Amino acid sequence: MEALDQAALARLFTEARTHGAWQDRPVDEAVLRQLYELMKFGPTAVNSTPARIVFVRSAAEKARLVDCVSPGNVEKTRNAPVTAIVAFDNAFHEQLPRLFPHADARSWYEGQPEKIARDALVNSSLQGGYLILAARALGLDCGPMGGFDAAKVNAAFFPDGKWSVNFLLNLGYGDAGKVHPRGPRLPFEEACRIV
Ligand SMILES: Cc1cc2nc3c(=O)[nH]c(=O)nc-3n(C[C@H](O)[C@H](O)[C@H](O)COP(=O)(O)O)c2cc1C
């Protein structure tokens, strides 16, 4: 398989930035559906795909979400056309007979709440990364956020306790003039080893 060309690599990685200011341009529902249709193919343990996503778009629901974020995230969340609540299903293993039918994978989790919690977090975080790359591939900009009150988001959006928030992701078409200077990244020699 050939590597992607430089323009594609720039779009996904080298020129892609985290955004906090947004153009006044909506994100169509068709784009949100396309986004899921791409990110769902990213790999997860036993194909568990535990991530669940609430795309918060209406003014009323956005106001409820803004009420849960830290002060520094209020304006960027309020102004983003869409904020995705990237969550996970606390009982994701119940879907394994459907998602991984060639083995009894559900039994590998039953009665093991710590394993369920860990794999829900690991794999929904991976899926959150796939979501960011899928969004960039579709021409959207992203602003991930960990600065929010998780208990408050869960109480407001998941009162039945079946799903729990992992992180929030602002989505839209960013105002490129307002991004901060790019932070440095660790060089290969510090962050990697080939053994
Ligand atoms: C899980 C996660 C949580 C983050 N939390 C916040 C946040 O609460 N507020 C914020 O302004 N940026 C937040 N960021 C943005 C990061 O600071 C940003 O992605 C990083 O500095 C890289 O910036 P760049 O993509 O422009 O190079 C978060 C990013 C991630 C992935």
Side-chain angles (χ1 to χ4, degrees):
M1 217 186 290
E2 296 293 319
L4 295 177
D5 62 26
Q6 286 302 320
L9 296 177
R11 168 81 70 86
L12 294 175
F13 295 103
T14 54
E15 299 296 324
R17 297 298 315 280
T18 293
H19 285 260
W22 307 97
Q23 299 172 41
D24 185 15
R25 180 179 165 193
V27 177
D28 295 337
E29 179 175 334
V31 175
L32 298 179
R33 290 180 174 276
Q34 203 181 358
L35 196 49
Y36 180 72
E37 295 304 323
L38 291 176
M39 64 80 69
K40 73 180 184 182
F41 288 115
T44 52
V46 286
N47 194 34
S48 52
T49 51
R52 306 289 183 264
I53 305 165
V54 179
F55 292 107
V56 180
R57 208 169 55 153
S58 74
E61 294 298 302
K62 186 60 91 67
R64 292 195 322 124
L65 185 57
V66 165
D67 195 41
C68 303
V69 303
S70 3
N73 289 331
V74 165
E75 281 309 307
K76 57 187 78 158
T77 304
R78 184 180 286 136
N79 296 332
V82 177
T83 305
I85 304 175
V86 180
F88 51 83
D89 184 342
N90 290 298
F92 71 86
H93 59 296
E94 297 295 345
Q95 301 297 331
L96 290 177
R98 181 150 64 119
L99 298 173
F100 201 73
H102 38 282
D104 183 15
R106 178 169 52 187
S107 70
W108 304 339
Y109 287 95
E110 271 161 353
Q112 298 196 67
E114 282 176 19
K115 183 174 161 71
I116 292 169
R118 180 185 146 78
D119 279 12
L121 189 64
V122 167
N123 290 288
S124 68
S125 300
L126 283 169
Q127 289 188 278
Y130 307 143
L131 179 64
I132 290 172
L133 291 175
R136 289 174 172 175
L138 293 177
L140 291 166
D141 293 302
C142 298
M145 292 177 295
F148 60 89
D149 183 331
K152 217 166 160 182
V153 171
N154 288 335
F157 289 89
F158 310 124
D160 64 10
K162 289 184 177 167
W163 298 359
S164 298
V165 63
N166 183 331
F167 70 97
L168 305 179
L169 181 66
N170 285 326
L171 290 165
Y173 301 94
D175 182 344
K178 295 204 174 138
V179 292
H180 301 299
R182 175 80 107 175
R185 303 303 204 251
L186 296 176
F188 184 94
E189 288 67 25
E190 281 184 56
C192 312
R193 283 186 203 157
I194 300 175
V195 297

